[in-house]
Amino acid sequence: MTGPSRRALLQGAAGLAALSACSSGPEQGSPTTAYGVHQAGVTTAQQGFGNLVVLDLHHAPIVPVLEALGEEIERLVSGRAADVPEPGDLTVTVGVADPGLVLPTFARDTFGPEHCGGDLVLQVCGSDPVAVLAASDRLTRDHAVRWSQLGFSGAAGKDGFGRNLLGFHDGIVQPRGREELSAGVWGDDGSTVMVVRRIVLDVEGFNDLAVDQQEAVIGRRKSTGAPLSGGHLTSPLDLAAKTPAGAYLIPVDAHVRRAHPLATGRPLMLRRGYSFAGEQGSGLLFISFQRDLAEFIQTQYRLDAGDALNRYLRVTASGVFRVLPGFSASRGLGASMNADR
Amino acid sequence: MSKARHVRSSGAHIRRGSRAGRLTLAIAMGGIGMLVFPGAQQAGAAGDDGTVSVRVVREINANGIWDHTAPILEPGLPGAVVTVTDPQGHTQSGPTDDQGQLTLDPSTSSLTGGKYRVSVSNPDPAVFSPAFAAASPTAGQTSLSPSVDFVDVSGGKPASITTGFWNPSDYTQDNPRIISAHQRDAVYGVGAGSVYTDIYAFNRQHGTIANSYASGSADSGFYVGQCLHCDIVVTDNVAEYNAVGYESANSTGVSVVRNRFSRNRVGLTMSSDYQEAFAPQRKAIVAGNVVSDNNEAQTPEQADGGFGIGIGLGGSTGVEVLKNRIEGNRSAGLLVSPAEDLAAKDNTAKGNVYAGNGTDLAFWSSAQSGGTQANCLERPAGATTYPRPWRAVLGCESGRGPLNDAEDIAPFRTVPGPAGIAFLDVAPPGLLPTMPGDPASVPYRRAQAPDPIDIGSLTVPPRTWLAEAARRSAR
């Protein structure tokens, strides 16, 4: 693969960065709408289940496919589709391949061509896994599936955060509020860049470590989620804190240090991943949304160069897509693709 | 480490400049001067005065200029009380509005004469210092006035002033270190064992750090960083038994000359760091120093694992390493590498003496930072290098090679360092030379540009340079 794409390529109309009320995070379980400035399923409060499906269109024209998907999505989430009579908080997020978005090959990539690329991605999320799967079937019926993965979230503890399969809190440092979302997540045209990585974890090997060794690998306490630099679950990391003998309190190769955006000079990406388990192994279905793909790439380079967690993971599927701007009854999902072409 | 760049409430809760507000204000200020009733022109008032417009801003980066376009936004400061005084002591005053602005009209007041003193009171002296004025603003820039200034509005000429207040923690780390070369012309004879950095000049300009000694730091003995147009000279200092002897991050325009950086874990680094502003590290001179035997175990550890390195350039641009004695560093004498997506480029090493280093000159690059960029790193006869052979794009002797060699060079592996010791356990130095004369008689002076360094007349220093200030065991 070629080098990183450093800038988002689509430059749409400016001034659409305002958050839509429709996509700013409904209560879990309540009905959603597919319409808005942005697509649902990005800043939507994370539901319990997510199904990621990458499709091949085999040279079928993409705009009619998107128009049909958009109409079907609105029927599904509003409860008007016969296949999914009770959609609950179902959301569907659609991304398309973009020649300007290319991921370099990273150190722990172990997938073949059948587990990267693809023309289109659907992220179908909801609190009801049955609705998620039924909606996925409905939407992919006429298309070839390249790869897919169903994921689930750990239940939120009393601190409000779930745990991943390593038993640690995850997704704590996130962009919040309009300013951080505009800086790090939404493009000017209302689109965003989506990176998906199926990361198989060696849970058994990790669990062979004593808990304090696990905490050194992650950089947080397993029980409370507090950073090793002190405080509580949501305290900011103090990356400079040291012992009197000069060692970092958060070790130099701790995952949270290597993944922290401060050192990359880039804004914060939004992470919205799911755990998975099954024939493909078990691990993290990493999903991130960012305005500029460089936010992910620079972070992944830092992880490659020195994350203690690398020993316990390999990536078995990968992709990058442009999540199109939001749509409406009058301006369909494919409208922005039409304008570009 | 987080940059505390948030805007803190000024703590001033004075009403806006309405008529009632001015009355309230005058009383609140102790009733000094005349109460002002705008519109009711009084006898003796200079009816033909122009207006006095004052803008008060939050100086964020201490450059003496009102930065009001990205990337640095210096917003208006509301509630700062502006007082205009005439030679007889009559006053007119009011607080700045939500935009930090206030326009006063002396022609409607008791002020006479047309030439007035304008003072802006510090809205919260516990939080703010008056901002510095820029030494040399360029055309189109608004240089900040002092918080007390003078205007001439006679004959109806309007006058406007932009001034600012500065909270050092707006743009400094939240762990300020022991001492800072705070726009003064010199720091003499400072020797201290501190948790992190001994002598620390962060976001500072125009000064000299000289004749000082630093030991026992878990960061660096001397630090100059996050400054554009720093105009700082670091000279005749000794740093030993630190994790790093001298460190610069994101500085532009620092000269480090004729120092002794010996017996640390790392002698000197110049690096780019996105955790602070103004990356990358640019334009610096490192000349005429002794940088030797930086393999010292009896120090705090360098947290990122650095050990046995003489001079390290990380993602720097345009650093010149000239006429140094670089000896006995077990990993590398000079190590040039990328930092994140910033390649090392346009750096120069010439006229240095290398001896007894693990590798005299080492260079690596990364795909992340765009491969190998051109540097001019002279390899003296007999010097050892990584990679071997020294490539055209790196060397000076064969001229500059192609500007960009896309192929990257695998990382150079340094010698692993032993565990560190607590900074409190680092042995104190012996008796240090004192500065000549009576220290108490040295006058305080505002910043002065340091004397220019004549690199041409510098020579490679002898091994014993400044050794009389080093610990006996380290001479």
Side-chain angles (χ1 to χ4, degrees):
Chain A
M1 289 193 185
T2 60
S5 157
R6 284 176 192 272
R7 301 191 68 82
L9 292 184
L10 292 184
Q11 296 289 333
L16 293 178
L19 268 180
S20 154
C22 311
S23 58
S24 60
E27 291 296 305
Q28 283 218 344
S30 61
T32 65
T33 171
Y35 295 157
V37 174
H38 309 295
Q39 288 193 57
V42 179
T43 54
T44 307
Q46 189 163 350
Q47 304 98 320
F49 295 87
N51 193 28
L52 197 77
V53 189
V54 177
L55 301 176
D56 286 327
L57 295 186
H58 297 301
H59 305 293
I62 194 167
V63 173
V65 171
L66 290 169
E67 293 295 323
L69 278 174
E71 290 164 19
E72 189 61 41
I73 288 166
E74 171 54 21
R75 274 196 293 277
L76 281 165
V77 303
S78 63
R80 290 187 288 115
D83 296 341
V84 188
E86 293 185 272
D89 57 3
L90 185 77
T91 59
V92 182
T93 315
V94 182
V96 299
D98 179 337
L101 299 173
V102 181
L103 288 173
T105 301
F106 292 115
R108 305 297 294 161
D109 288 0
T110 60
F111 46 82
E114 70 281 11
H115 287 114
C116 60
D119 297 315
L120 218 138
V121 68
L122 302 178
Q123 178 199 248
V124 186
C125 301
S127 296
D128 177 4
V130 174
V132 166
L133 288 173
S136 302
D137 280 353
R138 173 74 247 172
L139 292 166
T140 60
R141 191 168 298 169
D142 299 332
H143 303 293
V145 174
R146 191 173 178 90
W147 66 275
S148 71
Q149 183 64 56
L150 176 67
F152 53 87
S153 297
K158 52 183 182 291
D159 47 36
F161 290 88
R163 291 172 186 266
N164 59 26
L165 294 185
L166 301 179
F168 279 79
H169 295 81
D170 207 346
I172 297 164
V173 180
Q174 295 279 25
R176 294 175 208 282
R178 181 174 164 161
E179 200 174 310
E180 287 185 356
L181 290 170
S182 300
V185 180
W186 297 120
D188 292 342
D189 63 351
S191 72
T192 181
V193 176
M194 178 185 194
V195 171
V196 300
R197 310 266 290 165
R198 186 169 65 194
I199 302 169
V200 173
L201 292 166
D202 177 10
V203 177
E204 211 171 298
F206 187 81
N207 284 338
D208 285 345
L209 297 174
V211 169
D212 62 333
Q213 292 172 309
Q214 295 178 11
E215 291 175 338
V217 168
I218 300 296
R220 291 185 180 276
R221 296 283 171 217
K222 194 167 192 175
S223 56
T224 63
L228 295 186
S229 53
H232 50 85
L233 178 75
T234 54
S235 298
L237 309 182
D238 185 348
L239 296 177
K242 290 177 182 174
T243 67
Y248 287 130
L249 295 184
I250 297 174
V252 68
D253 60 353
H255 178 72
V256 296
R257 171 183 295 279
R258 299 307 301 183
H260 199 277
L262 199 54
T264 65
R266 299 298 197 290
L268 189 55
M269 67 178 83
L270 188 154
R271 290 168 297 142
R272 204 175 183 283
Y274 285 95
S275 294
F276 69 89
E279 283 176 22
Q280 302 294 337
S282 61
L284 173 68
L285 181 60
F286 174 92
I287 300 172
S288 70
F289 298 95
Q290 46 268 305
R291 180 186 171 98
D292 182 344
L293 180 56
E295 295 168 47
F296 173 81
I297 289 175
Q298 296 304 330
T299 303
Q300 187 57 52
Y301 273 130
R302 279 184 57 74
L303 295 174
D304 278 6
D307 179 7
L309 200 52
N310 284 343
R311 268 171 291 155
Y312 302 97
L313 64 84
R314 58 196 174 87
V315 177
T316 63
S318 177
V320 55
F321 301 91
R322 163 85 46 198
V323 173
L324 298 170
F327 59 104
S328 66
S330 58
R331 184 183 150 84
L333 182 59
S336 63
M337 300 288 286
N338 254 336
D340 285 346
R341 278 157 177 77
Chain B
M1 168 163 53
S2 66
K3 279 177 288 178
R5 275 202 245 176
H6 59 274
V7 175
R8 204 182 295 170
S9 158
S10 70
H13 299 290
I14 297 165
R15 292 183 60 189
R16 302 262 314 265
S18 65
R19 293 174 187 197
R22 288 188 199 176
L23 179 59
T24 311
L25 178 74
I27 294 165
M29 292 180 74
I32 300 166
M34 305 278 290
L35 298 190
V36 178
F37 296 92
Q41 191 171 326
Q42 296 177 13
D48 57 352
D49 282 349
T51 54
V52 179
S53 300
V54 179
R55 179 192 297 277
V56 183
V57 301
R58 291 210 43 161
E59 165 75 301
I60 300 293
N61 58 354
N63 66 350
I65 288 166
W66 178 38
D67 301 287
H68 51 97
T69 53
I72 297 166
L73 298 174
E74 296 181 339
L77 186 59
V81 177
V82 178
T83 303
V84 179
T85 309
D86 73 7
Q88 283 72 45
H90 300 124
T91 63
Q92 183 183 19
S93 65
T96 55
D97 66 14
D98 288 349
Q99 304 303 310
Q101 291 176 290
L102 174 72
T103 297
L104 290 170
D105 186 357
S107 70
T108 63
S109 75
S110 60
L111 270 61
T112 58
K115 293 181 179 176
Y116 305 123
R117 176 185 193 267
V118 179
S119 67
V120 182
S121 69
N122 188 334
D124 189 347
V127 174
F128 294 114
S129 306
F132 301 109
S136 50
T138 60
Q141 289 182 326
T142 304
S143 181
L144 297 179
S145 297
S147 57
V148 176
D149 208 342
F150 297 89
V151 295
D152 183 351
V153 292
S154 59
K157 292 180 302 222
S160 62
I161 286 174
T162 299
T163 186
F165 289 91
W166 173 57
N167 176 0
S169 70
D170 275 346
Y171 221 67
T172 3
Q173 294 167 307
D174 55 6
N175 55 346
R177 312 300 168 83
I178 295 301
I179 192 165
S180 121
H182 193 103
Q183 301 240 8
R184 284 171 58 177
D185 62 338
V187 178
Y188 275 99
V190 177
S194 73
V195 184
Y196 288 129
T197 304
D198 275 345
I199 297 184
Y200 185 74
F202 185 77
N203 203 38
R204 295 290 184 276
Q205 293 174 295
H206 315 304
T208 304
I209 299 174
N211 304 97
S212 296
Y213 174 91
S215 154
S217 295
D219 271 359
S220 59
F222 296 89
Y223 175 95
V224 176
Q226 190 180 290
C227 48
L228 289 173
H229 317 297
C230 315
D231 188 25
I232 289 174
V233 171
V234 179
T235 187
D236 298 286
N237 302 292
V238 173
E240 57 178 4
Y241 296 89
N242 301 284
V244 180
Y246 171 91
E247 180 183 2
S248 261
N250 304 358
S251 68
T252 303
V254 176
S255 299
V256 183
V257 293
R258 296 188 310 175
N259 302 281
R260 181 180 186 84
F261 303 132
S262 197
R263 301 257 178 161
N264 304 282
R265 291 194 174 215
V266 176
L268 172 151
T269 63
M270 293 248 170
S271 54
S272 301
D273 185 350
Y274 281 120
Q275 298 181 62
E276 291 163 7
F278 306 148
Q281 169 67 38
R282 276 169 288 199
K283 277 187 72 144
I285 292 172
V286 178
N289 303 286
V290 169
V291 186
S292 60
D293 302 312
N294 290 292
N295 322 296
E296 183 53 56
Q298 296 302 306
T299 77
E301 70 185 79
Q302 202 285 321
D304 300 297
F307 189 75
I309 299 166
I311 296 175
L313 307 183
S316 65
T317 299
V319 175
E320 297 177 69
V321 179
L322 310 168
K323 302 181 185 177
N324 300 285
R325 181 175 292 280
I326 306 171
E327 296 183 344
N329 304 288
R330 234 175 265 158
S331 291
L334 173 64
L335 171 59
V336 182
S337 62
E340 303 299 331
D341 61 340
L342 298 166
K345 61 179 181 184
D346 297 330
N347 300 292
T348 302
K350 276 187 174 172
N352 301 293
V353 168
Y354 302 86
N357 300 297
T359 297
D360 292 324
L361 293 114
F363 180 95
W364 63 276
S365 58
S366 68
Q368 182 189 3
S369 61
T372 303
Q373 313 274 323
N375 291 275
C376 168
L377 309 175
E378 181 186 74
R379 177 182 50 181
T384 53
T385 65
Y386 172 92
R388 197 190 319 157
W390 205 230
R391 291 151 64 139
V393 70
L394 302 172
C396 278
E397 59 271 57
S398 55
R400 292 289 177 104
L403 265 182
N404 188 341
D405 180 347
E407 193 186 330
D408 49 289
I409 299 168
F412 174 79
R413 297 294 169 197
T414 57
V415 175
I421 65 170
F423 68 94
L424 292 168
D425 296 336
V426 175
L431 201 59
L432 294 167
T434 54
M435 64 182 285
D438 173 14
S441 70
V442 176
Y444 173 84
R445 285 186 295 159
R446 272 300 294 270
Q448 293 186 333
D451 295 331
I453 306 291
D454 179 6
I455 301 295
S457 69
L458 277 182
T459 53
V460 176
R463 216 159 267 144
T464 54
W465 175 246
L466 296 178
E468 68 279 5
R471 271 199 243 172
R472 201 165 291 281
S473 60
R475 290 178 191 174

